[in-house]
Structure formats: structure tokens, C-alpha cells
């Protein structure tokens, strides 16, 4: 799932943000170092009370909060509203600063906390209007029951905030108070609903691919771009659902019936990007991409790495005789972790108090997102459906063009309040497709003079605008779905709940105590009359409007498949030859999912059974799939340089595992990074290459040979390193796979330099990459290859959101934790992701891991990336991280007796 809650300061930090960092250092050093006033009242004073009694006016009955050795709370109440009131109170105790920052992100109000450096980010977020849509959901769409729960949760949060000074809530507020008159506002139900919009944004699908394909047209031909976005390898990597079709007479998907339904392609093609030069559009889309990079990613870098693993195995193949279910969402490392472990228990489950659920929650939102109740267990991974489209808009002073007629914009004014500065006002214009996102960038005020559009396009005039159509900008019922899943009892009620899980579109896996396993792909997924969503669409042509959404009844599902297990890891859901509707053309490419499939099959062949510990071992499998293809070729290269040969020898006998202490893994990944840079990276336009990656190239609009009038120019990358290309994910595995069989290809050619010969063949380029990798690691890890290790390159640092994301070294020491030397890697099952264009630093991780022992719940196990607490210096700030890094899991108590046995602290909340 989503799959990284980072927050401000954004990449371009203002003077105020730097001042806050310095002041925070002074505050913490004074307190922690000298044990003075700040240390007592600010650092420790905000820690939660976890024992004794507290009176809350909003409660109707007594509530118990039992915490285990990791500080994980299990809440017991006699009615549902008290249960969610207590959830709000307890989450605010541990995580309110995180919650507060998050709601300012979703509302586009970061400038109120952090000053003028956040105005640009707020402007973009206000243009998207997450908070406005969340308010509309609450007012007009959500059920009365859901609103009752949201209100109870808000009452619990506000009961915690009552009569507390900001410095008593969290240490960060003490720093803010020194430079800002910021005051904490009461929590509202809409604050909780808006979080779903942020989650949907980071899991929005292929928008970045849509932009990048357009940007690539400035340097590459359509045929070359097609090579860089290959078709999903259905023959190699099996999709989630391997059977079933839509019965067109009923419109329902099912395991039986239906003829072959063709390719799954939607009719027509998108004319944008099909002819002509694209320099103007490239500059505009690059500017949009830069704006997107500036939006705080609450879950992580959007793209190939955002995903997750989940799988469920039938009891026929397990040692327990009951299903086993595993899940580990891959999200950005953050401190505190995105997840908050919790149990919500009615003391007596009945028709009036229906919840007995435990699992992973989001701070700031009631309910459990991933976990189990007494009958069923479920997990989530990102489906990756294409739910966004960019539209080119022919705009003028009076509106925008559709079918030859001018339509007026929908216009609203927004006021952005700025801490320490004057208010800023912005005008938000929207078309029938959605907000005009190009208004938020000076470079996007006019679209380029050579935008890649068809001959039927209207006169460019001053240019085209760019609007965004996105399912999450329409009110929906996902909040209703969360509560319904929490109390579902069988597959029918689970699917009924999933019907409302509209945004973001997720893969849902399922198991129950009766031994059943299942899968459902829910979500509001658009149907396009024309076009396939891979490039910006012409907004002036109504044929490219969305014609509706795929009905839930047509969405793929499985129930007790004959093979006995279901794996979802962001691969294709179903082979399009068996499915008529277009879900997306930009799947994850299936390396992780196929590895999990292979591990399950190898374990269960010849009557073998899978244990819970086997499930945990699979979660930490770190084999490099690209190494199985590339390493044999590297070993065949004749290397004359003794230093490079010394490094090459590391690869001899390597089993492709990426352990933290592996020198072979370090060298191989460095070689892979340099292969990508030489063969692809140096041929890509600056708009997608990483910042600081500078090369000499001919101008993009040049024709003919390089001469005095058309000589090489210096171009430096413009993309944030975390989202630059080539990122090295499993899309690039599929790009390279066929090329490795070709001794000669245009991709293997590279120009010479003062120190290197030009390359013309595969082996020449591989040899050069091996040499470059040797000297890169010599600079990073030293000359002695015996001291190299993957973990020294591949490090995880947990950074406290906002004030811990930058600044002097002392800030890193006080607020941040790490580094940890990690194994695993990009597209491995143990997906400690890194971006090959940007470096080796870990940029997404398994943000939690769980293995559910269905029916014998107390034998389930789990772990979080950090800990329960968001308070720096608290015992539970990062107390789970060491075990997480080792691949260990903690016992997950669920039943009353097991919870009592695990309880270390008990807090009683009384009316």
C-alpha cells in the first residue's frame, strides 16, 4: 500500500525553517545536556500517561488502555463511540504532532506552521483541493454511522488537547513557539477524512510515467520510448488472478464462462505525443514534475517502488491446517513510522458493539486499516490502477476550448496564511476535467510552442494549459469501507465492504477461520472512450472524456483458487486477453511477485507445508533477480586491469543474495547502476535525470552532425534523486532482458572520453561499467575489496518529520536515528529500495511486517519500522527498529488472556 509520512520543510527551505532548526538545537541541548527547564517540561513533559486514571468528559463509560512492552495499546470499551473516542485520545497521546503536520499538509496550510518556504507547496495543494473534497464527503456522502465514529474520534483527540499548552503536547511545538505564534486548533472529523486524499495521492498510479513518456520525446524516438516501457511479461510473471472472465450478458466477473475477450486495449490512441518536436511540452511537463516533487510525499516517492507484498496460503498447504496471511507495505522510511499498531475491542461483542479488531492504523484516522478481527484477516497492496489523466487545455481569457466552443472556468479564491509574513491569495481555475495545475508554475503559464499533438489540434496561440482529472478529487465512501471491513465476518461481507473502497485502489487479500482465502480488486477506475492514459490527452476533444467507471461487479476477484495461494505484489492483476477493461498499462513488472510465487511452490511441492516462520523468511528474501541475468555475463568479460579483476572475482560463486555484509552484492549493484547510467541515463533528457548528473550532449533540437554551430552543450539533471531515471526497478529489468541477448544495440553505444574508449558492443559497455563501479566503490568504501559490504553503501537513516529533515549534525543526533546497514534491495522481496540514478541510500522499506495465523490469532506476529511513540527520546521512539532490521517479528497478542499476559501498563479512562 501503500506504499512513505514525510513533511516539510520542502526541498527549498526558507530562512525561517533554518532558524527553527537552530532554535530546536538550543532547546534540546539546553534540556537534554544540562537537565534544565527544557529537559523536564518540554522533552519529558509531553510523554503520555500510561498508568493510573484520567477523566474524560466525553466518555459514557469506563475504558481500559493496556500497553505491552513495546507500548502498543489495546483498548477495551463497552460501546462503539467510546471505543473510537479512546482511539483518538490514545493516538493523540503518542502522535499528535505527526497528526497536526499531516492535516496541515492535506489542507494546504503548511505555511501557517513553517512560514513562507511552504507557500508554493500550499498553493499546489489548495489547487488540488483535498480538504474541500474531504469536507464534501463528510457533508454529503459518508453514512451517518461513519460520521458518528469520526466525531467520537475527534472528541477523543480534543479531550487530550484540552488545557494543554503546545509545549506539553510535543517538543517540536516548543521550537515553533520561539519564532511563531502558532496555536493548536481543535481536531475535526474532516481532518481524518482528508488523510485518505493524501494516501491516494501517493498511490495515484501512472501520472509520473505519463509525464516522463512525454519528456522523453525531446531526446528519444517513439520506438526507443516504447523499448523503455515494455509490455508486462505475462509469460514470465504470473498475474494475481489466473482465471475468470467477464460474462458480457450479465456484466459480472466470475470464475466461469465468457469467450476470449481480446486484448483488453481501449479503442483509439492518444494523439498527444504522436508527432512533431516536443521541446515546448517537455519544458512544461518538466515544470509540472518539479512541482509534484515539491509536494510532501506522505507515503513515499511515487513510482515503481511504491507497492507492497502480500500473500495468503490455504490451510491445505500450511503446518497449522489454517490459512496464513502475510503483508508488508513498501513505503518511505520516516520517523515516526506511518503505521500505529493498536487493538480495538468491545468487551462484549454484540449487535450494538461490533468491533474486536487489531492491526495497523493511521494516526489521525479511526479504525484499523490492515489486520484481523475474530473471523477474518486481510492485507493491502497498491493495485496501481490508472486513475489520473493529464489534459492539455486550449485556454484563453474567457475560458477553455471543448469541441470548438469556449467554456468558462470554474474559479475560486484561496487565502494562504503565512507564519511571520503577509497572507497570499491565489486564484484556482478548473476545467471540466479538473484543476488547472499549470497555474501553479510560472513555467506552465503557457504551454510550449511545439507541443506533441496531432494535426487536428487547435492553434497554439499562447500555449496550452495542463489540467488534472483524478478519481480522488470526487467525493467517495472509502471511510465507510474501512469500518465495514473491520467488522466483516465472511467473504461476502468483506466484498460488500470493498465495494466502497474507492480511493486509493488497492489489492485486497483475505482469509477466514473457515479456511477460505480470497482476493478482490476494488476501486473507482475510469473507463476511457478514447485513449489509453499513457500520455496527456487533448482536452479540447470531448471524445477523450471519461465515460464512467468500471462497475464493481466487473472487477477481478478470486475465491479459493485451485492452486491454494494468492500473491499480490503490484504485478498485473489479470492477463488482458481474458479481461475487456483497461486497468492500467503501467504495472509493476512482477519480479517480487514471481519470486514469492516460486518460493511458495518450492516449499509446497511434494507435499511440503508452510509454517509461520517460513512466511517470515520469505518476507526477508533478498535475492537480486537482475543479478541472475547479468552476473553470468559479467563473469565472462575478459578484464585486464588487476584492480577491476579483483572486484570481478567477488562475483564468482555469489548466490545473488544481498546480505548487509556481502561485498559481492555491493559490487554487483554498483555495476548495475553504472550499466544503467552508460546505456540509458546519459541518453535521457535533463528533465528526468538526477540533480547534479551533468553530461556533455548535443542540443535536443539539433539536426545533422555536431559542428561549430551545433556543438555539445553541458546539461545537468533536474529531477530529485529519489524519483530520477533510470531508477533501476524491475521495469528496467525488462528493458535490459532482451538487450542482453544482443551483442550490438544502439543502447550499448557510448562516446569516448579522455579516460575511456567509446563502446559499441554489449561486452565493451559491461567492461566499462565494471571499471567505473570499481573506482566508485574505491572512493566510497576504500581500496581493499575485502572490506566492502552492501550494508555500508545501502544505509537507512530515520529522519524525524519536519524539523529533523535537515540542518546541523547535532539535529541529526538529537532527532534522527541511524544509520542502519541493510540488506535487501530494489525489486527484491525484502524491498529496501534505492534509486540507481540517485545513489544507494534506502528510500523505501517494508514499513511494517505481519504474519497472521488465522484462527489461532495469538500465534500471529508483527513489527513496526520504528515504534509506537512520536516523541523524541521516548523509550518507544525507535524500539522496534533493530529487530525490524534483522527481520524479526514480535508476538501479537489478541485474545483477552494473551493481552493481559503481555500488558505492562494499564490506563483507565473514566467519564
Amino acid at each position: 500500500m501503500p506504499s512513505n509520512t514525510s513533511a516539510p520543510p520542502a526541498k527549498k527551505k526558507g530562512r525561517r525553517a533554518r532558524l527553527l532548526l537552530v532554535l530546536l538545537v538550543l532547546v534540546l541541548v539546553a534540556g537534554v545536556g544540562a537537565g534544565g527547564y527544557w529537559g523536564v517540561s518540554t522533552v519529558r513533559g509531553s510523554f503520555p500517561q500510561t498508568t493510573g486514571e484520567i477523566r474524560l468528559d466525553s466518555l459514557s463509560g469506563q475504558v481500559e488502555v493496556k500497553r505491552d512492552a513495546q507500548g502498543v495499546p489495546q483498548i477495551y470499551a463497552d460501546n462503539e463511540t467510546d471505543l473510537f473516542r479512546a482511539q483518538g485520545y490514545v493516538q493523540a497521546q503518542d502522535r499528535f504532532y505527526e497528526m497536526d503536520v499531516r492535516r496541515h499538509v492535506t489542507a494546504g496550510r503548511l505555511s501557517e506552521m513553517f512560514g513562507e518556504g511552504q507557500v508554493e507547496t500550499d498553493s499546489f495543494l489548495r489547487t488540488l483541493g483535498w480538504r474541500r473534497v474531504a469536507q464534501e464527503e463528510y457533508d454529503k456522502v459518508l453514512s451517518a454511522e461513519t460520521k458518528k465514529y469520526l466525531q467520537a474520534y475527534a472528541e477523543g483527540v480534543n479531550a487530550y488537547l484540552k488545557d494543554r499548552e503546545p509545549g506539553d503536547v510535543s517538543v517540536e511545538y516548543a521550537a515553533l513557539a520561539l519564532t511563531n505564534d502558532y496555536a493548536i486548533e481543535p481536531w475535526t472529523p474532516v481532518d481524518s477524512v482528508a488523510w485518505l486524499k493524501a494516501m491516494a495521492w501517493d498511490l495515484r498510479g501512472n501520472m509520473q510515467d505519463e509525464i516522463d513518456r512525454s519528456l522523453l520525446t525531446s531526446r528519444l524516438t517513439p520506438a526507443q520510448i516504447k523499448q523503455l516501457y515494455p509490455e508486462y511479461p505475462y509469460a514470465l510473471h504470473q498475474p494475481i488472478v489466473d482465471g475468470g472472465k467477464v460474462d458480457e450478458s450479465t456484466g459480472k466477473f466470475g470464475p466461469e464462462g465468457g469467450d476470449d475477450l481480446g486484448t483488453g486495449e481501449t479503442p483509439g490512441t492518444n494523439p498527444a505525443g504522436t508527432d512533431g518536436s516536443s521541446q515546448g511540452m517537455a519544458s512544461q511537463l518538466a515544470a509540472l514534475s518539479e512541482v509534484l516533487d515539491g509536494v510532501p510525499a506522505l507515503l513515499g516517492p511515487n513510482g515503481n517502488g511504491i507497492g507492497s507484498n502480500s500473500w495468503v496460503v490455504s490451510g491445505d498447504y500450511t503446518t497449522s491446517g489454517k490459512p496464513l496471511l502475510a503483508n508488508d507495505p513498501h513505503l518511505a522510511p520516516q520517523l515516526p513510522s506511518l503505521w500505529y499498531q493498536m487493538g480495538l475491542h468491545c468487551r462484549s461483542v454484540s449487535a450494538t458493539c461490533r468491533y474486536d479488531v487489531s492491526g495497523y492504523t493511521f494516526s489521525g484516522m479511526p479504525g484499523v486499516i490492515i489486520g484481523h478481527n475474530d473471523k477474518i484477516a486481510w492485507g493491502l497492496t497498491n493495485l496501481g490502477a490508472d486513475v489520473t489523466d493529464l489534459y492539455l487545455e486550449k485556454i484563453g481569457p474567457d475560458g477553455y476550448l471543448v469541441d470548438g466552443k469556449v467554456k468558462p472556468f470554474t474559479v475560486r479564491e484561496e487565502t494562504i496564511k503565512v507564519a511571520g509574513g503577509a497572507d497570499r491569495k491565489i486564484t484556482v481555475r478548473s476545467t471540466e476535467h479538473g484543476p488547472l495545475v499549470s497555474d501553479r508554475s510560472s513555467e506552465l503559464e503557457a504551454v510550449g510552442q511545439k507541443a506533441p499533438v496531432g494535426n487536428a489540434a487547435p492553434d497554439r496561440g499562447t500555449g496550452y494549459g495542463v489540467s488534472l482529472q483524478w478519481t480522488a478529487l470526487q467525493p467517495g465512501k472509502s471511510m465507510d469501507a474501512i469500518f465495514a471491513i473491520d467488522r466483516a465476518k465472511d467473504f461476502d461481507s468483506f466484498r460488500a465492504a470493498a465495494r466502497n473502497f474507492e480511493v486509493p485502489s488497492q489489492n485486497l487479500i483475505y482469509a477466514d477461520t473457515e479456511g477460505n482465502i480470497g482476493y478482490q480488486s476494488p476501486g473507482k477506475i475510469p473507463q476511457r472512450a478514447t485513449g489509453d492514459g499513457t500520455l496527456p490527452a487533448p482536452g479540447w476533444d470531448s471524445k477523450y472524456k471519461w465515460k464512467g467507471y468500471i462497475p464493481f461487479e466487473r472487477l477481478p476477484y478470486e475465491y479459493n483458487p485451485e492452486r491454494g495461494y494468492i500473491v499480490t505484489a503490484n504485478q498485473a492483476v489479470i492477463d488482458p486477453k481474458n479481461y475487456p477493461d483497461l486497468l492500467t498499462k503501467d504495472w509493476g513488472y512482477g519480479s517480487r511477485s514471481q519470486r514469492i510465487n516460486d518460493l511458495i511452490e518450492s516449499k509446497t511441492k511434494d507435499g511440503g507445508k508452510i509454517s509461520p516462520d517460513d512466511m517470515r523468511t520469505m518476507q526477508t528474501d533478498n535475492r537480486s533477480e537482475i543479478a541472475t541475468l547479468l552476473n553470468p555475463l559479467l563473469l565472462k568479460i575478459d578484464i585486464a586491469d588487476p584492480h577491476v579483476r579483483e572486484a570481478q572475482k567477488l562475483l564468482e560463486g555469489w548466490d545473488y543474495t544481498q546480505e548487509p555484509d556481502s561485498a559481492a552484492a555491493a559490487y554487483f549493484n554498483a555495476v548495475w547502476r553504472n550499466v544503467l547510467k552508460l546505456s540509458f541515463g546519459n541518453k535521457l533528457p535533463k528533465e528526468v535525470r538526477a540533480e547534479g548528473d551533468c553530461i556533455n550532449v548535443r542540443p535536443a533540437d539539433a539536426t545533422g552532425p555536431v559542428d561549430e554551430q551545433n556543438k555539445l552543450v553541458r546539461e545537468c539533471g533536474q529531477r530529485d534523486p529519489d524519483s530520477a531515471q533510470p531508477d533501476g526497478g524491475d521495469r528496467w529489468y525488462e528493458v535490459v532482458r532482451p538487450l542482453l541477448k544482443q551483442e550490438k544495440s544502439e543502447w550499448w553505444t557510448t562516446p569516448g572520453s579522455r579516460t575511456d574508449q567509446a563502446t559499441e558492443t554489449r561486452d565493451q559497455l559491461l567492461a566499462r561499467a565494471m571499471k567505473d563501479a570499481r573506482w566508485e566503490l574505491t572512493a566510497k568504501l576504500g581500496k581493499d575489496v575485502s572490506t566492502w559490504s552492501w550494508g555500508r553503501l545501502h544505509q537507512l537513516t530515520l529522519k524525524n518529520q519536519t524539523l529533523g529533515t535537515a540542518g546541523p549534525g547535532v539535529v541529526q543526533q538529537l532527532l534522527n536515528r541511524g544509520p542502519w546497514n541493510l540488506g535487501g534491495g530494489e525489486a527484491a522481496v525484502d524491498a529496501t529500495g534505492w534509486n540507481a540514478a540517485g545513489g544507494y541510500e534506502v528510500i523505501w522499506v517494508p514499513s511494517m511486517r505481519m504474519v497472521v495465523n488465522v484462527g489461532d490469532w495469538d500465534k500471529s506476529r508483527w513489527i513496526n519500522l520504528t515504534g509506537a511513540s512520536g516523541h523524541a527520546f521516548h523509550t518507544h521512539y525507535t524500539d522496534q527498529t533493530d529487530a525490524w532490521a534483522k527481520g524479526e517479528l514480535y508476538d501479537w497478542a489478541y485474545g483477552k488472556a494473551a493481552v493481559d499476559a503481555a500488558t505492562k501498563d494499564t490506563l483507565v479512562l473514566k467519564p
Side-chain angles (χ1 to χ4, degrees), residues 272-491:
T274 58
D275 68 342
S277 171
S278 59
Q279 278 303 288
M281 177 56 73
S283 66
Q284 307 313 320
L285 289 171
L288 175 58
S289 182
E290 184 176 353
V291 172
L292 299 181
D293 267 344
V295 177
L298 275 79
L299 303 181
N302 181 267
N304 199 35
I306 281 289
S308 305
N309 300 322
S310 71
W311 65 95
V312 60
V313 182
S314 165
D316 292 340
Y317 300 98
T318 67
T319 57
S320 67
K322 292 285 188 179
L324 295 174
L325 185 150
N327 197 185
D328 56 287
H330 305 155
L331 306 171
Q334 52 198 278
L335 185 57
S337 166
L338 174 76
W339 300 107
Y340 184 91
Q341 297 152 289
M342 177 175 267
L344 301 172
H345 308 278
C346 291
R347 289 194 181 94
S348 177
V349 177
S350 66
T352 58
C353 195
R354 296 163 291 173
Y355 293 90
D356 189 12
V357 60
S358 183
Y360 293 86
T361 72
F362 291 140
S363 300
M365 201 170 82
V368 169
I369 308 301
I370 295 173
H372 71 83
N373 58 33
D374 64 328
K375 296 293 185 182
I376 74 165
W378 68 95
L380 303 180
T381 63
N382 194 27
L383 185 107
D386 185 357
V387 296
T388 60
D389 275 340
L390 296 172
Y391 284 85
L392 309 181
E393 305 282 7
K394 172 60 180 175
I395 60 176
D398 300 320
Y400 60 101
L401 195 68
V402 179
D403 294 340
K405 297 181 179 180
V406 175
K407 288 191 171 185
F409 295 112
T410 301
V411 179
R412 71 177 190 272
E413 301 292 328
E414 295 275 353
T415 300
I416 299 172
K417 297 185 180 298
V418 182
D423 292 353
R424 308 289 179 88
K425 293 185 181 296
I426 64 169
T427 299
V428 178
R429 299 187 296 174
S430 296
T431 72
E432 63 184 25
H433 303 113
L436 204 63
V437 290
S438 53
D439 281 351
R440 298 284 72 84
S441 167
S442 59
E443 293 180 89
L444 281 167
E445 290 178 358
V447 180
Q449 297 179 355
K450 296 181 180 180
V453 295
N455 294 330
D459 179 72
R460 291 181 175 86
T462 57
Y464 303 121
V466 181
S467 64
L468 169 66
Q469 186 163 14
W470 176 34
T471 56
L473 297 184
Q474 302 165 22
K477 299 181 178 181
S478 293
M479 200 74 233
D480 286 344
I482 289 169
F483 295 112
I485 289 174
D486 283 356
R487 58 179 185 260
K489 298 300 183 185
D490 53 31
F491 195 56

Side-chain angles (χ1 to χ4, degrees), residues 1 165 262 360 363 443 522 549 577 584 597 623 626 765 785 836:
M1 186 176 166
E165 294 297 322
Y360 293 86
S363 300
E443 293 180 89
Y549 302 95
K577 72 175 182 290
T584 186
N597 274 294
R623 190 173 81 151
I626 188 60
L765 185 139
V785 300

Side-chain angles (χ1 to χ4, degrees), residues 376-636:
I376 74 165
W378 68 95
L380 303 180
T381 63
N382 194 27
L383 185 107
D386 185 357
V387 296
T388 60
D389 275 340
L390 296 172
Y391 284 85
L392 309 181
E393 305 282 7
K394 172 60 180 175
I395 60 176
D398 300 320
Y400 60 101
L401 195 68
V402 179
D403 294 340
K405 297 181 179 180
V406 175
K407 288 191 171 185
F409 295 112
T410 301
V411 179
R412 71 177 190 272
E413 301 292 328
E414 295 275 353
T415 300
I416 299 172
K417 297 185 180 298
V418 182
D423 292 353
R424 308 289 179 88
K425 293 185 181 296
I426 64 169
T427 299
V428 178
R429 299 187 296 174
S430 296
T431 72
E432 63 184 25
H433 303 113
L436 204 63
V437 290
S438 53
D439 281 351
R440 298 284 72 84
S441 167
S442 59
E443 293 180 89
L444 281 167
E445 290 178 358
V447 180
Q449 297 179 355
K450 296 181 180 180
V453 295
N455 294 330
D459 179 72
R460 291 181 175 86
T462 57
Y464 303 121
V466 181
S467 64
L468 169 66
Q469 186 163 14
W470 176 34
T471 56
L473 297 184
Q474 302 165 22
K477 299 181 178 181
S478 293
M479 200 74 233
D480 286 344
I482 289 169
F483 295 112
I485 289 174
D486 283 356
R487 58 179 185 260
K489 298 300 183 185
D490 53 31
F491 195 56
D492 286 344
S493 56
F494 180 75
R495 290 192 71 210
R499 175 184 292 272
N500 287 330
F501 206 121
E502 298 170 332
V503 177
S505 186
Q506 298 288 290
N507 295 309
L508 295 174
I509 62 167
Y510 167 94
D512 64 35
T513 53
E514 298 300 315
N516 303 300
I517 64 173
Y519 163 81
Q520 177 67 56
S521 54
K524 184 180 279 187
I525 303 172
Q527 293 176 311
R528 298 169 178 85
T530 306
D532 60 12
T534 59
L535 287 167
W540 51 80
D541 189 340
S542 63
K543 292 197 302 289
Y544 288 84
K545 290 176 65 175
W546 291 357
K547 64 179 183 180
Y549 302 95
I550 300 174
F552 181 79
E553 290 78 11
R554 292 175 71 92
L555 292 173
Y557 74 95
E558 277 192 320
Y559 188 57
N560 293 328
E562 186 176 348
R563 66 183 178 278
Y565 61 88
I566 302 169
V567 175
T568 84
N570 320 113
Q571 79 272 41
V573 170
I574 189 169
D575 193 323
K577 72 175 182 290
N578 295 326
Y579 191 70
D581 298 298
L582 179 66
L583 300 175
T584 186
K585 299 194 80 173
D586 290 307
W587 300 110
Y589 280 76
S591 288
R592 281 182 288 112
S593 62
Q594 192 57 47
R595 176 62 174 166
I596 297 167
N597 274 294
D598 292 345
L599 289 170
I600 293 172
E601 289 177 5
S602 66
K603 190 69 181 177
T604 56
K605 69 180 180 181
D606 301 325
K609 302 288 187 179
I610 293 178
S611 70
D613 198 54
D614 291 329
M615 300 282 276
R616 182 198 65 80
T617 300
M618 292 177 193
Q619 287 181 324
T620 56
D621 180 86
N622 58 29
R623 190 173 81 151
S624 169
E625 295 304 304
I626 188 60
T628 66
L629 297 175
L630 185 55
N631 199 62
L633 293 175
L634 298 178
L635 291 174
K636 293 178 181 178

